Amino acid sequence: MAGGKEQTGLQKTLRKLMKGNISTVIALIVLCLIFGVASPYFFTFTNVMNIGSYASIMGTMASGLTVAMLLGGLDVSQYALSAFCGMIMGMLYEKGVNPYLTMLLVILVGALGGCLNAFIITKMHVNPIICTMGTQFIFRGGAYLLTDGRYIRITGEPVYSFIGSGKIAGIPFCLIVMAIIYVVIWYVLKYTTYGRQVFAVGGNPKVAQLAGIDTAKIRFISHILAAVTAALGGIITVSQTAAAMAKHGAGNDMDGIAAVILGGSGVGGKGQVTGTLFGILLLSVLVNGMTLLNVQAYWQQVIKGMVLIFAIFVDSLRGNGLKA
């Protein structure tokens, strides 16, 4: 009995430590200190901005994903949809379409992809993770079919160059875009009726429905939001790499989910988009530090897998949805 009580006490202590973003912030600080000691380049301004540029893609996409996960669902199709949108962007570039009109059309394509996910989930009542696993294959396959697997080089377009590598006061423009998106989503979730309804539906959908909330509508909007941020991530990716490739993001499909969970947003009504930002920074610092230390790419995949498992473990300690 004593052992059981000790275990219960330990679990309570761990839950307090893991509450909110405390554990993520601590882990982020520790990682920064380790990499700062191990590499003289880690704390340079150039490298910090490199971390920001890398984080801008995953961070932009994870902002919308956070909303979908607050509703109790997962979206594993984001990176595939992002690649599909990127290929659309490349094709429109080849045809000489105005870059601003191109980006508007790409965002629209992303929204339509979100409508497909939302329709399958809300109208056909398919489990979100099963649905998005299916559409993940559709979007990725569609990205390859658009050009028969050919990648498209994008050069000489100043608008895309500025999005990918431009800076304002020394800060990457893509990082500024990500920050603006986070502020908007934070405001929407905290101060609007829609935001309050997201937390209500995620916390207890039956009670929310009895309270008069159109739960299907809230889910529909949220999956479109996740898809739009995926499209924005696709625009940033193509702009940074100066190429549209169907394989963009392949193998990184779970990165955003790991970041959201690390940031304290489990599945179902708990968490905040600010926590996701800490999760994004943690993963970005990890990847950057391993690259500076010349850690083999295969080992980086192994370590990222371990981080994902750890994130789910932390989520179970917080008492959120992803647990056995």
Side-chain angles (χ1 to χ4, degrees), residues 303-317:
I303 293 170
K304 283 169 68 176
M306 293 169 65
V307 169
L308 176 60
I309 293 171
F310 178 73
I312 295 173
F313 169 68
V314 169
D315 187 66
S316 69
L317 290 176

Side-chain angles (χ1 to χ4, degrees), residues 270-287:
K270 295 181 180 180
Q272 282 289 349
V273 72
T274 49
T276 298
L277 185 57
F278 285 116
I280 290 295
L281 291 175
L282 178 62
L283 288 180
S284 299
V285 165
L286 178 64
V287 171

